[in-house]
Amino acid sequence: MNPAWTLASKAAAVEAALNTLFCEPEPTPRVRLNESLRYSIVGGGKRLRPVLLLSFAELGGCDMDAAMDFACAIELIHTYSLIHDDLPCMDNSDLRRGRAANHCVFGEAGAVLAGDGLLNGAFELMLSSTSPIAAEYKLAAAAELAAASGRLGMIAGQVIDIENECHRVSPTAADLTQLCRLKTGAIIRGACVAGLKLAGVTDPEKLGAAARYADALGLAFQIRDDMLDVLSSAEAMGKSVGHDAENGKVTFASLLGIDGCRAEVDRLTDEAVAALEVFGGDEFLAGLAEMMARRDH
Amino acid sequence: MNPAWTLASKAAAVEAALNTLFCEPEPTPRVRLNESLRYSIVGGGKRLRPVLLLSFAELGGCDMDAAMDFACAIELIHTYSLIHDDLPCMDNSDLRRGRAANHCVFGEAGAVLAGDGLLNGAFELMLSSTSPIAAEYKLAAAAELAAASGRLGMIAGQVIDIENECHRVSPTAADLTQLCRLKTGAIIRGACVAGLKLAGVTDPEKLGAAARYADALGLAFQIRDDMLDVLSSAEAMGKSVGHDAENGKVTFASLLGIDGCRAEVDRLTDEAVAALEVFGGDEFLAGLAEMMARRDH
């Protein structure tokens, strides 16, 4: 199947599963916690991370339905990080996925607690999953995601990012690469590796290949994002663009130039596709890497 | 052994275990994330929750050492909730455990991320624990703690508390009891029940008894706290007291009076001790409930 259709179909399945979450009545009338969680989760996004988790789980022989709680969990983690990132004391962003940021609608305290609720909720979902997967595999997959989102993964990236802003540091390409591997890359890597672990895969060669695919895809994704901030229209991106240059922000685009970025994205995409060889290749995952390299939003 | 000595000895073991956490070097020189996590964790506290988890694990036949990662995890969850609670957009407290609150030392963004890092870190610790406990039991215990700290437990309590403040609601004793069962009680209950589950206990009668012990202890603890805010000297409490009355805050003390509180604490303590019968009683846990009922700080 055309990888774009497969992506759309898997993302729609994730969307449907996410839609069943947090539907209980609120504990008291004034409380709007579930409403707030649903506001941020159901508000769109590419669902790239859950689709990666599902696809690597399938590659390891695990049924997509059985992996769905874990796929949703990774989207909850991603969404919590966006809510906290947008807070006034962090990036102070009012817009997210084309809508008002969570803190603009539910207040700052509400947004702190909504983020906490989603991060905690991700683990609730994984740990109480009734999916027919061995406890050992569930534990290994959840541990992988916990490490990816934790203080040596995504949170380290967020801290470094905040510190760079505070001290007006001008990062080199190597600094940006390290930041990207932590802030956005760790979760993408976690999604791919946890997918395999959920399927009971323990072969270090396969786990390493999933990590290499994820690292190349994640870095290419970020470089493409920086290119699009220069090239793209606000309409296509669904958010304001040209921000980076206006703010004098150092990005891959400002460091490597557009042609340099394009060459790097191509190189990384080849690397991602090559990493799939140990699985005998995978049409969808290879196509996904190529789609992400050429995307215009 | 005298329950005060047992408490001191178990708390010291927890302290030593907590002290081994987050000791890796920071990823870059300006980052102070581990320093921030250690600042808030090592800063004292009664360690009541981890001691409860350890004691119920032992009651179920599980070695204390084997349960230590889970005991530390619950203290990380408790500490994260304090860091986020103290934020300017939440309770805006500058003082915690006799020292400057985390956000006063590491900044607001730093405190948001430190809280996130501790919540995430609690799950990392549990899920990657190498303790020789069956994966199934680890999963059940971690799921219990996740539910306790989540949006239907502690976080629901925090949201209700914030809402009450915002709307200047005057709660009834029943409202305060519900709030206490969620905001502070859920984690205490989680500690006791997760301890048994870590030991592989599945008998609903025993799990229910642990929950009843915890509910009675947790509520008595809160009522005693409200009494102490009226009765105690600032010196003995290690924090300023008489705050509640000054702020016109409705507490168990203002609703029930000191004598009414005392009677309720006694009733709840008897209830906690009675709940231990299904285990053939437990000298330490009974003594602990009695100590908490009479504590003066």
Side-chain angles (χ1 to χ4, degrees):
Chain A
M1 200 176 4
N2 180 320
W5 301 345
T6 306
L7 173 61
S9 133
K10 288 185 172 179
V14 170
E15 202 68 43
L18 287 170
N19 237 313
T20 63
L21 299 177
F22 314 133
C23 291
E24 314 92 345
E26 308 279 4
T28 73
R30 265 184 312 277
V31 164
R32 298 169 66 197
L33 182 58
N34 282 333
E35 186 190 339
S36 164
L37 302 186
R38 290 179 59 80
Y39 175 84
S40 287
I41 291 164
V42 182
K46 295 186 185 60
R47 313 308 188 194
L48 176 64
R49 293 154 194 79
V51 168
L52 285 170
L53 188 143
L54 293 176
S55 303
F56 274 91
E58 279 184 306
L59 207 51
C62 171
D63 182 59
M64 198 170 96
D65 283 4
M68 191 57 90
D69 285 333
F70 284 70
C72 288
I74 205 165
E75 190 68 10
L76 301 190
I77 292 175
H78 175 56
T79 308
Y80 117 77
S81 76
L82 300 179
I83 294 177
H84 280 187
D85 255 358
D86 288 342
L87 284 169
C89 66
M90 306 271 286
D91 285 354
N92 196 19
S93 306
D94 289 347
L95 208 67
R96 174 61 68 183
R97 292 172 170 170
R99 298 201 299 166
N102 187 290
H103 69 90
C104 297
V105 180
F106 298 95
E108 216 175 318
V112 171
L113 292 171
D116 294 347
L118 287 182
L119 173 56
N120 196 98
F123 289 102
E124 282 181 78
L125 198 57
M126 291 189 276
L127 299 173
S128 64
S129 172
T130 56
S131 135
I133 289 177
E136 207 186 324
Y137 300 167
K138 287 180 183 171
L139 209 54
E144 187 68 35
L145 290 186
S149 57
R151 71 187 198 291
L152 302 177
M154 182 177 71
I155 293 176
Q158 288 172 304
V159 172
I160 294 173
D161 203 19
I162 296 269
E163 283 300 313
N164 284 351
E165 292 267 315
C166 264
H167 296 85
R168 300 178 178 283
V169 171
S170 284
T172 62
D175 293 338
L176 278 191
T177 302
Q178 189 213 14
L179 179 62
C180 169
R181 281 202 197 284
L182 293 168
K183 191 175 175 185
T184 56
I187 280 286
I188 293 178
R189 176 195 263 247
C192 299
V193 177
L196 287 185
K197 288 194 170 175
L198 203 51
V201 175
T202 55
D203 176 357
E205 208 190 335
K206 287 187 174 169
L207 297 174
R212 281 201 310 284
Y213 171 86
D215 286 347
L217 181 85
L219 188 54
F221 191 90
Q222 183 59 54
I223 297 175
R224 183 75 194 162
D225 229 42
D226 287 357
M227 289 170 69
L228 289 173
D229 190 76
V230 176
L231 296 176
S232 186
S233 73
E235 201 179 342
M237 288 291 280
K239 64 180 181 183
S240 51
V241 292
H243 258 162
D244 296 343
E246 260 171 50
N247 299 336
K249 194 173 164 189
V250 178
T251 69
F252 285 110
S254 69
L255 287 173
L256 308 180
I258 289 297
D259 287 343
C261 282
R262 192 166 281 132
E264 191 59 8
V265 168
D266 286 347
R267 187 187 68 77
L268 288 163
T269 303
D270 289 347
E271 208 173 291
V273 174
L276 297 169
E277 270 167 30
V278 64
F279 305 104
D282 184 89
E283 202 184 327
F284 170 63
L285 287 169
L288 183 65
E290 278 154 12
M291 270 172 63
M292 289 298 127
R294 288 190 309 266
R295 75 197 163 88
D296 54 13
H297 64 276
Chain B
M1 203 180 358
N2 180 319
W5 302 345
T6 306
L7 173 61
S9 134
K10 288 184 173 178
V14 170
E15 203 69 44
L18 287 170
N19 237 311
T20 64
L21 299 177
F22 313 135
C23 291
E24 314 93 348
E26 308 280 3
T28 72
R30 266 183 312 276
V31 164
R32 297 169 66 198
L33 181 58
N34 282 332
E35 186 190 339
S36 165
L37 302 185
R38 289 179 60 81
Y39 175 86
S40 286
I41 291 163
V42 181
K46 295 186 185 62
R47 313 305 188 196
L48 176 64
R49 294 155 193 80
V51 168
L52 285 170
L53 188 143
L54 293 176
S55 304
F56 273 92
E58 279 183 307
L59 207 51
C62 170
D63 182 59
M64 198 171 95
D65 283 4
M68 191 56 88
D69 286 332
F70 283 71
C72 288
I74 204 165
E75 191 68 12
L76 300 190
I77 292 174
H78 175 55
T79 307
Y80 116 77
S81 76
L82 300 178
I83 294 177
H84 280 187
D85 255 357
D86 288 342
L87 283 170
C89 67
M90 307 271 286
D91 286 354
N92 196 18
S93 306
D94 289 345
L95 209 67
R96 173 62 67 182
R97 293 172 170 170
R99 298 201 300 165
N102 187 291
H103 68 92
C104 298
V105 181
F106 298 95
E108 216 175 319
V112 170
L113 291 171
D116 295 347
L118 287 181
L119 173 56
N120 196 98
F123 289 103
E124 282 180 78
L125 198 57
M126 290 188 277
L127 299 173
S128 63
S129 172
T130 55
S131 136
I133 290 178
E136 208 185 322
Y137 301 166
K138 288 181 184 172
L139 208 55
E144 187 68 34
L145 290 185
S149 57
R151 70 186 200 291
L152 302 176
M154 183 178 71
I155 292 176
Q158 288 172 304
V159 172
I160 294 172
D161 203 19
I162 296 271
E163 283 300 312
N164 285 351
E165 291 268 315
C166 262
H167 296 85
R168 299 176 178 283
V169 171
S170 284
T172 63
D175 293 338
L176 278 192
T177 302
Q178 188 213 13
L179 180 62
C180 170
R181 281 202 198 283
L182 292 169
K183 191 176 173 184
T184 57
I187 280 284
I188 293 177
R189 176 194 262 248
C192 299
V193 177
L196 286 185
K197 289 195 170 175
L198 203 51
V201 175
T202 54
D203 176 358
E205 209 190 334
K206 288 186 174 172
L207 296 173
R212 280 201 310 284
Y213 172 86
D215 286 347
L217 181 85
L219 189 54
F221 191 91
Q222 182 61 52
I223 297 175
R224 183 76 193 159
D225 228 43
D226 288 357
M227 289 171 69
L228 289 172
D229 190 76
V230 176
L231 295 175
S232 187
S233 73
E235 203 180 340
M237 288 292 279
K239 63 179 182 183
S240 51
V241 293
H243 257 163
D244 297 342
E246 259 172 50
N247 299 337
K249 194 174 166 189
V250 177
T251 69
F252 285 110
S254 69
L255 287 172
L256 308 179
I258 291 296
D259 287 344
C261 282
R262 193 166 280 133
E264 190 60 5
V265 168
D266 287 347
R267 187 186 68 76
L268 288 163
T269 303
D270 291 346
E271 208 172 292
V273 174
L276 297 169
E277 270 166 29
V278 62
F279 305 103
D282 183 90
E283 204 185 325
F284 169 63
L285 287 168
L288 182 66
E290 277 153 13
M291 271 172 62
M292 291 296 128
R294 288 191 309 267
R295 75 197 161 90
D296 55 14
H297 64 277

